Amino acid sequence: MTKQATIVSRWGTLLCAAALMGAAPGLAADDAVTYPNRPIHIIVPFAPAGATDLAVRMIQGGLSQALGQQVVIDNRPAPPAISALEAAARATPDGYTLFFGNVGTVSINPYFFPDLTVVPERDFEPVSLASETPGILIASNKFPPNSLKEMIDYVKARPAR
């Protein structure tokens, strides 16, 4: 097994354990003993081959192996991910439907869409951090600021622009 495959497999195992703990409140005692006894569905609010989809597919095999069940990825790419968020929130809380969101879907969308029927901190239980993606702020070399502080000062000095 390659080093990358080992790491991915370990992530799948960790996510599996976290999923089991997160699913426990919604499981009856008898169900908890036999969980999982059918495929697990992971709703991904983005199209296949995007960064979020690739991240979940990297752990899919290890998770499936650890659980002994098929893990089905359900891509629902309708922007701005609200339909996927709502579908996950309406799912039976039994550990068989997971939502693979990101900061945009669970932290930013509620502020941009005040009529959103889903309140992530009320309707979801965090299970696991699956990946981290670094961010970078870049601009044209013709843009006068050379640092974040300079950019903030530049923008504040030009509120109409």
Side-chain angles (χ1 to χ4, degrees):
M1 185 180 278
T2 67
K3 183 177 179 180
Q4 183 180 10
T6 301
I7 291 168
V8 169
S9 178
R10 287 184 184 153
W11 268 108
T13 303
L14 289 172
L15 187 59
C16 164
L20 290 172
M21 288 184 284
L27 294 175
D30 292 342
D31 294 335
V33 172
T34 62
Y35 180 86
N37 57 20
R38 64 180 194 265
I40 307 294
H41 291 261
I42 301 177
I43 296 175
V44 179
F46 301 102
T52 303
D53 179 70
L54 292 174
V56 75
R57 288 181 191 278
M58 286 183 70
I59 63 171
Q60 180 184 24
L63 183 59
S64 180
Q65 184 177 15
L67 291 171
Q69 271 301 331
Q70 179 183 13
V71 174
V72 179
I73 296 174
D74 181 3
N75 294 92
R76 298 188 185 200
I82 292 172
S83 63
L85 192 66
E86 289 174 341
R90 286 191 307 268
T92 304
D94 58 6
Y96 288 95
T97 302
L98 304 174
F99 182 75
F100 200 86
N102 64 16
V103 68
T105 56
V106 297
S107 298
I108 297 172
N109 272 358
Y111 293 97
F112 279 97
F113 303 99
D115 296 332
L116 190 62
T117 61
V118 176
V119 178
E121 56 271 0
R122 177 196 68 204
D123 298 325
F124 293 103
E125 187 66 35
V127 173
S128 176
L129 175 63
S131 67
E132 291 182 331
T133 305
I136 184 169
L137 180 64
I138 61 172
S140 167
N141 59 3
K142 295 175 185 164
F143 189 56
N146 291 305
S147 70
L148 181 59
K149 182 185 178 331
E150 286 180 20
M151 187 186 86
I152 291 169
D153 293 342
Y154 183 86
V155 172
K156 283 183 177 179
R158 295 162 182 79
R161 292 181 70 192

